[in-house]
Amino acid sequence: MSDVAIADYGLLSDCASAALVSRGGSIDWWCPGRFDAPSLLGRVLDPDAGHWALNPTKAESDHRSERTYVDGTLVLRTVHHTSGGSVAVTDALLAEPGVPGHELGRNPPMVLARIVEGLTGTVRMRTEFVPRPEYGLITPYLHQHDGEVRVEAGPLALTLRSPVPLECTDGRAYAEFDVGAGQTLPFDLAHAPAWGPPPPRLDPVASLAETIDNWRAFSQLHDYGGRYPDLVRRSGLVVQGLTYQRSGAVVAAVTASLPEDLGGSRNYDYRYAWLRDFFLTMRALWVTACPEEAGRLFDWAARSAGRSGDQPVPIMYGVMGERDLSEYSLDHLRGYADSRPVRIGNDAWRQRQHDVAGEVLLCAYLIRDHLGELSEELKALLVDLAEEATRWREPDAGMWETRGSGRHYLASKALCWGALDSAIKLAPMLGHRADPARWAAVRDEIRAAMLRDGWNERVGAYTGVIGSSELDASVLVLPFTGMVSATDPRMRATIEAVEAELTTDGLVRRWPGEPAGFVVCTFWLVECLAMAGEMERATALFERTAARANDLGLFAEQIDPRTGAHLGNTPLTLSHVGLIGAAWRLTKPSFV
């Protein structure tokens, strides 16, 4: 099978794990239990790594499909039109029954439901279930019993319930069947640990209706009063779908090793939670009126960081706060579009990134009125991050996580300024270790040095690395920190230079020569233009960029300006919080 386009995938989530469904009706990615668990269905990374197809047979001519999310949910409904008739397939990771909206995802049943409904005529359908646990390393045993298929493999126990008889052979269950108008055929796949209670038995039709109700109840808890409300609410739902609700952690994406460049080696595992993304994610939760989720995310960060001592606060964690995310390669997988290596884990957890301090402390100041009395753990985290910012003269890996020796990134140092400026304002809340007088002296020193050394007279812009002549889109975050205004002549010149030199067909690349545009950088440019008073240009760029989402409103990490193809891991939290921030900036340009 040829690789499905990344933009052709839709997201299912139960706020603990996620699945990707192709437009053609194949679930090609599911890591049951938690986002960063080994995959059970992994065809997105290799044709033989597992899938579950449910779609019209190839004999059905003139097949076309259309799909949409059920309003206010991450429940996906795909309608297949064929020469013989039309059929709908509704896919969902089921929510736990009987919970209020704000507890969605705290204890999901780990059941994947697929409901087939005949709409018109008669359609010949097929289902092919090929489970391959442990990233495709295991071909499991399939046993039929009382109309069910039980899957036994390593640590997993699975039960596939089908309304039609299935033929099982060589780790594959298959059937063809007819669906007439008015018929409803429910399928469900339930997961549980092998050495515990059996997987749950739910009524998939009733549970699907309850899942829809739970998502809608969750959506109604949040409000947004700015421009582009439909786009913002959809991106807000995606961010919630990428939240591991048991802990409050937000993962960067639900996939691992989807390439930034087809056939290339920049393939990384993004199923973890980065403090780097903290400010933009927290701001998005704040903008979409999610104060409880914002508070839980802060609690998760404080607990995960623990005592740092003389070591820098780690930049990223597993969804339950794990620190060691050591990276390894799955050499048996070919990778998406032959992009190798396929990496699991992410060695960026070992890096020093000065920007982290600013992102967290800017957040704390933003939502200070919602934090209440700070716990001792949160006070310690914020003070430790302020102290890290005082070491701003040291090189770091930068927000793009460059591997190799560190450099002096301007954005990192500007975010150190933002960290200290926020810490000074928060000092009365931070306890006896707060040192606002010393922090103020260092903050002023940073600003003077950055305005002097960060500007490159020959380029006529602030460049990415101190002393370098190379532009870098990371400098667009400077106005977000408050260190420099977007209306400052040098910052205005930088914004214009980034638009002129790093933008192709309305998409902003991170650095010269990068083949694809980075979605969040394009939304940063929207914000900078709006802050600089260029509202007409900002609005046009926002609408053009928002239109590049797939048909379900999802963004991957990057977009190829030549083809429009989405690249990199998907859906990417940073892309969606970038959209939310840009929409709010167009509503309130002076928002900080």
Side-chain angles (χ1 to χ4, degrees):
M1 172 187 170
S2 61
D3 293 292
V4 174
I6 291 171
D8 274 350
Y9 283 109
L11 169 70
L12 308 178
S13 173
D14 57 12
C15 299
S17 66
L20 295 183
V21 189
S22 73
R23 185 188 302 274
S26 181
I27 298 179
D28 291 345
W29 184 252
W30 185 31
C31 303
R34 50 186 271 173
F35 295 112
D36 54 357
S39 67
L40 167 71
L41 307 174
R43 184 158 66 172
V44 71
L45 292 177
D46 189 285
D48 298 322
H51 67 279
W52 182 12
L54 182 58
N55 46 29
T57 63
K58 291 182 179 179
E60 293 286 353
S61 60
D62 301 324
H63 175 199
R64 64 182 178 86
S65 62
E66 56 191 18
R67 58 187 181 168
T68 186
Y69 282 116
V70 176
D71 188 46
T73 78
L74 289 180
V75 174
L76 182 62
R77 180 178 172 85
T78 303
V79 178
H80 300 280
H81 301 281
T82 74
S83 58
S86 298
V87 64
V89 179
T90 303
D91 294 319
L93 281 166
L94 297 180
E96 57 269 55
V99 299
H102 68 275
E103 292 186 6
L104 178 70
R106 303 290 175 90
N107 190 32
M110 300 184 203
V111 176
L112 184 53
R114 313 195 73 182
I115 312 299
V116 181
E117 302 170 77
L119 302 179
T120 64
T122 299
V123 180
R124 186 70 172 170
M125 297 285 288
R126 62 183 282 271
T127 186
E128 182 181 50
F129 176 57
V130 186
R132 292 294 182 267
E134 299 285 320
Y135 302 110
L137 283 172
I138 299 175
T139 299
Y141 295 103
L142 271 56
H143 303 288
Q144 292 178 297
H145 180 73
D146 292 339
E148 301 177 342
V149 174
R150 296 180 180 175
V151 181
E152 298 176 358
L156 301 183
L158 302 161
T159 301
L160 173 63
R161 293 194 296 170
S162 168
V164 299
L166 296 169
E167 179 181 338
C168 296
T169 179
D170 296 328
R172 169 181 178 266
Y174 182 83
E176 289 192 9
F177 54 96
D178 291 324
V179 180
Q183 280 188 287
T184 298
L185 299 177
F187 296 76
D188 68 281
L189 175 63
H191 161 269
W195 312 111
R201 298 178 62 90
L202 302 175
D203 178 340
V205 175
S207 295
L208 175 65
E210 191 159 19
T211 296
I212 291 171
D213 289 343
N214 284 1
W215 270 109
R216 286 176 171 167
F218 181 87
S219 299
Q220 290 167 6
L221 293 172
H222 310 105
D223 195 16
Y224 168 77
R227 297 180 66 182
Y228 307 103
D230 291 342
L231 295 176
V232 168
R233 287 175 187 138
R234 171 52 54 197
S235 284
L237 272 178
V238 173
V239 174
Q240 295 304 329
L242 295 170
T243 301
Y244 188 75
Q245 289 291 351
R246 290 171 178 166
S247 66
V250 181
V251 297
V254 304
T255 54
S257 276
L258 294 188
E260 298 176 13
D261 185 20
L262 295 183
S265 61
R266 290 183 58 84
N267 321 310
Y268 302 111
D269 192 346
Y270 278 13
R271 299 171 299 160
Y272 308 109
W274 268 257
L275 295 187
R276 177 198 65 203
D277 304 345
F278 209 84
F279 176 54
L280 295 174
T281 302
M282 189 72 73
R283 188 178 65 162
L285 294 172
W286 187 86
V287 162
T288 53
C290 304
E292 181 179 340
E293 285 82 1
R296 291 186 70 230
L297 182 54
F298 246 116
D299 290 342
W300 166 84
R303 182 178 182 133
S304 299
R307 295 179 179 272
S308 61
D310 294 332
Q311 299 299 314
V313 173
I315 67 160
M316 59 189 290
Y317 305 88
V319 295
M320 292 295 282
E322 300 89 348
R323 290 195 181 202
D324 188 344
L325 307 177
S326 295
E327 187 176 292
Y328 61 96
S329 297
L330 297 176
D331 295 334
H332 66 286
L333 297 180
R334 79 166 208 191
Y336 181 90
D338 295 313
S339 304
R340 292 176 172 167
V342 174
R343 295 182 175 95
I344 300 299
N346 196 310
D347 275 346
W349 74 276
R350 305 176 191 272
Q351 291 184 346
R352 178 186 291 273
Q353 293 179 21
H354 290 318
D355 57 294
V356 165
E359 284 144 357
V360 177
L361 278 157
L362 283 163
C363 262
Y365 184 70
L366 174 68
I367 67 165
R368 60 195 180 280
D369 294 336
H370 297 286
L371 291 177
E373 185 175 352
L374 304 186
S375 68
E376 292 303 315
E377 291 82 3
L378 184 50
K379 289 178 185 178
L381 172 64
L382 297 178
V383 170
D384 286 346
L385 287 169
E387 291 299 324
E388 284 194 24
T390 66
R391 296 192 283 273
W392 66 277
R393 291 186 179 278
E394 299 175 12
D396 76 322
M399 66 171 60
W400 307 136
E401 300 180 350
T402 305
R403 300 197 173 192
S405 57
R407 303 179 75 186
H408 292 281
Y409 292 96
L410 180 61
S412 294
K413 299 182 189 302
L415 281 159
C416 286
W417 183 95
L420 293 169
D421 189 61
S422 298
I424 292 161
K425 298 171 186 174
L426 291 168
M429 303 171 62
L430 298 182
H432 70 278
R433 291 181 58 212
D435 195 352
R438 181 169 58 87
W439 293 344
V442 178
R443 177 199 59 184
D444 295 343
E445 182 183 16
I446 295 172
R447 186 174 189 275
M450 291 307 95
L451 297 183
R452 181 187 66 243
D453 301 332
W455 175 260
N456 187 299
E457 191 66 43
R458 184 172 64 82
V459 178
Y462 291 114
T463 54
V465 175
I466 304 298
S468 169
S469 61
E470 186 172 284
L471 284 172
D472 188 310
S474 64
V475 299
L476 294 174
V477 305
L478 266 62
F480 303 167
T481 70
M483 188 184 83
V484 61
S485 168
T487 59
D488 175 87
R490 286 187 168 186
M491 192 66 222
R492 283 293 301 269
T494 301
I495 294 167
E496 298 295 337
V498 167
E499 186 172 32
E501 302 298 329
L502 294 183
T503 302
T504 301
D505 196 23
L507 291 166
V508 179
R509 303 188 306 278
R510 287 177 290 182
W511 51 72
E514 186 175 39
F518 208 74
V519 174
V520 75
C521 292
T522 308
F523 285 125
W524 289 349
L525 180 57
V526 171
E527 290 203 55
C528 285
L529 288 170
M531 295 170 78
E534 299 282 353
M535 290 296 293
E536 187 173 336
R537 288 168 62 194
T539 299
L541 182 58
F542 176 88
E543 292 179 354
R544 184 178 185 181
T545 307
R548 295 180 184 271
N550 76 356
D551 57 314
L552 296 172
L554 304 180
F555 282 106
E557 182 180 20
Q558 301 189 55
I559 298 175
D560 187 329
R562 299 163 301 170
T563 64
H566 287 214
L567 296 169
N569 286 301
T570 193
L572 194 78
T573 294
L574 206 54
S575 298
H576 287 276
V577 299
L579 180 147
I580 293 169
W584 187 244
R585 185 73 68 186
L586 292 172
T587 304
K588 292 192 174 183
S590 61
F591 168 68
V592 175

